[in-house]
Amino acid sequence: MIQIFGTTKCKATRAAQRFFAERGIKVHSVDLREKGLSKGELASVARAVGGMRALYDAESPRVKERGLQYSAPTEARLAELLLEDPLLLRTPIVRSGTRAAVGAAEPAWRELADAEKAR
């Protein structure tokens, strides 16, 4: 099953939900304001998208709220930050098994949808 991690206020998250709904693919949505990714999920998604840096939304208002805009955290520190504050994640995170996509990545969503339909 495809999981979409994001927030209800995020336009890209809503676009991902709409994308899969239009194709008749059921998704499980997770609101990051209520529940973040587990340590294992975070590591799996990071491997699929090229590391923690790809998951970190350095431009988000949350980064400025926390005073992180001038920091250059290591991969390990990024993992800690993303686990303790899921609102620092770039959204949406669309995940299916070991495959994942981050942000408004419609070509990657299409691949995930095709793989899901082939099951």
Side-chain angles (χ1 to χ4, degrees), residues 32-33 35-37 42 55-57 60-63 65-66 68 78-90:
L32 291 173
R33 292 186 185 278
K35 181 180 185 258
L37 279 76
L42 182 65
L55 294 172
Y56 180 64
D57 188 358
S60 79
R62 188 67 163 202
V63 169
E65 284 174 23
R66 297 207 41 195
L68 300 170
L78 276 176
E80 290 173 18
L81 287 169
L82 296 175
L83 284 170
E84 75 182 38
D85 189 351
L87 297 179
L88 294 172
L89 289 162
R90 226 172 101 209

Side-chain angles (χ1 to χ4, degrees), residues 40-56:
E41 287 172 326
L42 182 65
S44 173
V45 170
R47 275 192 302 277
V49 300
M52 293 293 169
R53 214 160 287 291
L55 294 172
Y56 180 64

